[in-house]
Amino acid sequence: MSVINISCYKFVALADREVLKTDLASRCLELGLKGTILLAPEGINVFLAGSRAAIDAIVAHLRSDPRFADLAPKESLSAEPPFKRMRVRLKKEIITMKHPLIRPEAGRAPSVAAATLKQWLDRGMDDAGRPVVMLDTRNDYEVAAGTFDQAVDYGIGVFSEFPLRLAAHCADYAGKTVVSFCTGGIRCEKAAIHMKEIGIESVYQLEGGILKYFEEVGGAHYRGDCFVFDEREGVGADLQPASGRLHR
């Protein structure tokens, strides 16, 4: 498997999106990359596939912009690019929540690293002795492909439904530590900020999402595959493409 697939994002204020779009579209086409880059006032979201040299070149190019200097792409392999074309798109949000007061670019929610989360799940409590609740912030069809053991999810069809569904369950988390998670970290970061703002006391986001968890600790406490929004449709805990058509 010679194709490198990367995903990464950064919540950061972007006032020059048209210029960025032109620059990144040109650079990606020159490098023969395929995938999607989303640019919004709140930040950037990147899904790209290509050769090792091309991926290294675009990551270096992105990091040359001080706003993206700390981008930390998650990698996986495939035999062919899981995208048909290269697109750079302008969006209102890099992930739609429809809560304009939730501004991750202004400050992050607390996060927990994969290795620490595994330790918590191994013993059933965090370092303070609180029970740990895993909260899946993804859509229902993504959850169906796989999720953490005993994770809570609200059966949402789109992420913008999450705040309303959560509102009816805030009391469920009293005295517990909630770890929000998603595929790569974007949704669970917004969700964690929202949960803090509505008064849920102990909240963390899983740093880097499920894909980073797979990369660092494997599939411990996770069942099934992780749905991904490309032609692979899912990856296993070994980050290899999963078989079968899950959703289209």
Side-chain angles (χ1 to χ4, degrees):
M1 293 192 180
S2 59
V3 175
I4 311 298
N5 303 283
I6 63 166
S7 63
C8 55
Y9 73 95
K10 176 71 180 291
F11 283 112
V12 60
L14 299 179
D16 57 344
R17 291 179 298 138
E18 289 285 359
V19 173
L20 279 172
K21 178 182 178 180
T22 300
D23 173 65
L24 292 175
S26 174
R27 189 59 60 100
C28 288
L29 289 173
E30 287 175 6
L31 293 169
L33 294 166
K34 293 183 179 180
T36 301
I37 298 177
L38 303 179
L39 299 170
E42 66 181 4
I44 187 172
N45 192 10
V46 177
F47 304 92
L48 293 173
S51 68
R52 175 85 270 170
I55 289 294
D56 288 347
I58 195 63
V59 171
H61 181 67
L62 284 163
R63 287 176 174 164
S64 69
D65 186 324
R67 295 171 296 184
F68 309 136
D70 58 350
L71 278 179
K74 296 170 284 291
E75 293 191 359
S76 60
L77 299 174
S78 61
E80 298 178 358
F83 307 99
K84 288 185 171 66
R85 62 182 72 88
M86 182 67 231
R87 298 185 298 174
V88 182
R89 301 175 60 194
L90 302 183
K91 301 276 285 184
K92 291 182 179 179
E93 300 177 72
I94 56 175
I95 182 66
T96 302
M97 192 178 194
K98 297 182 180 178
H99 259 249
L101 298 181
I102 303 298
R103 299 181 60 245
E105 71 274 24
R108 303 191 71 205
S111 63
V112 58
T116 300
L117 176 61
K118 180 182 180 298
Q119 292 174 3
W120 290 359
L121 295 176
D122 286 344
R123 62 176 184 255
M125 64 185 68
D126 66 7
D127 295 336
R130 289 173 173 258
V132 176
V133 178
M134 298 298 294
L135 179 57
D136 199 328
T137 65
R138 300 173 301 158
N139 300 333
D140 50 8
Y141 58 85
E142 298 172 79
V143 177
T147 190
F148 280 95
D149 293 334
Q150 300 181 330
V152 174
D153 77 89
Y154 296 131
I156 61 177
V158 292
F159 184 54
S160 57
E161 296 174 5
F162 177 81
L164 183 60
R165 298 289 182 89
L166 174 69
H169 296 276
C170 291
D172 298 349
Y173 304 114
K176 301 173 183 178
T177 285
V178 187
V179 178
S180 64
F181 68 93
C182 60
T183 307
I186 298 177
R187 281 175 284 186
C188 56
E189 182 157 355
K190 279 195 170 183
I193 292 172
H194 178 64
M195 286 189 281
K196 293 290 285 186
E197 291 194 350
I198 64 175
I200 298 177
E201 180 183 355
S202 184
V203 176
Y204 295 86
Q205 57 180 309
L206 173 56
E207 186 68 38
I210 298 166
L211 295 180
K212 194 66 175 176
Y213 185 90
F214 282 176
E215 179 184 328
E216 295 192 350
V217 302
H221 304 286
Y222 192 96
R223 290 179 295 170
D225 301 318
C226 178
F227 181 94
V228 290
F229 288 91
D230 58 50
E231 292 183 2
R232 293 172 296 172
E233 298 176 338
V235 297
D238 58 359
L239 295 175
Q240 299 298 311
S243 60
R245 183 175 294 274
L246 301 175
H247 177 75
R248 181 60 91 192

